[in-house]
Amino acid sequence: MQAFVHHRAQALQITELHHAECVSALRLKQFRGECTATEATGTLKLLEDDIRAGVLQMVAVEWNQVWKQCRSLAEAHAALTGCRTLDALHVASALVLGAREFITSDHRQSACAIRAGLSVSDPTRAVR
């Protein structure tokens, strides 16, 4: 993932939702024994370093708009894609921010994003 992010010519926009998801995912990996506390903390430090360096750009969204878009996406696509609320919330955030590209390795998010008209990039299948 880090190679994918650093390979891009422009900063990746993330919201507080994405930031919280990264923290939660890493600590869940620690809980499951998939990484050590030191590894999780080190990875979170790299995330903070990328934010400070501008590789990742924290952006604010209007959450009422995001939630409305999320409900619309769920109504239009959940039965077809299996996307859950959090999946639709990520896609809705991208749409409200005016993104054209959506970056995910999650198949439900990907299916929802494609149906919503976004191009999708999977960082696990990109630059190594």
Side-chain angles (χ1 to χ4, degrees), residues 94-111:
L95 291 171
V96 169
L97 287 169
R100 293 180 303 230
E101 179 185 23
F102 189 79
I103 300 167
T104 186
S105 58
D106 183 285
H107 68 278
R108 285 189 206 72
Q109 287 179 13
S110 180

Side-chain angles (χ1 to χ4, degrees), residues 60-128:
V61 293
E62 172 48 54
W63 286 107
N64 284 337
Q65 290 177 359
V66 172
W67 281 110
K68 287 178 186 176
Q69 183 70 55
C70 178
R71 282 191 299 276
S72 295
L73 289 168
E75 180 63 35
H77 307 301
L80 300 170
T81 65
C83 70
R84 296 175 284 193
T85 302
L86 195 52
D87 301 319
L89 193 60
H90 281 290
V91 175
S93 295
L95 291 171
V96 169
L97 287 169
R100 293 180 303 230
E101 179 185 23
F102 189 79
I103 300 167
T104 186
S105 58
D106 183 285
H107 68 278
R108 285 189 206 72
Q109 287 179 13
S110 180
C112 183
I114 289 167
R115 288 186 171 275
L118 297 168
S119 68
V120 174
S121 295
D122 182 343
T124 64
R125 296 183 183 179
V127 176
R128 299 250 183 234

Side-chain angles (χ1 to χ4, degrees), residues 51-62:
I51 291 170
R52 275 192 294 283
V55 174
L56 300 173
Q57 178 187 18
M58 293 295 294
V59 293
V61 293
E62 172 48 54

Side-chain angles (χ1 to χ4, degrees), residues 1 10 14 20 29 41 44 53 69 78 84-85 105 113:
M1 179 64 161
Q10 62 190 43
I14 65 170
K29 283 183 147 311
T41 299
L44 289 171
Q69 183 70 55
R84 296 175 284 193
T85 302
S105 58

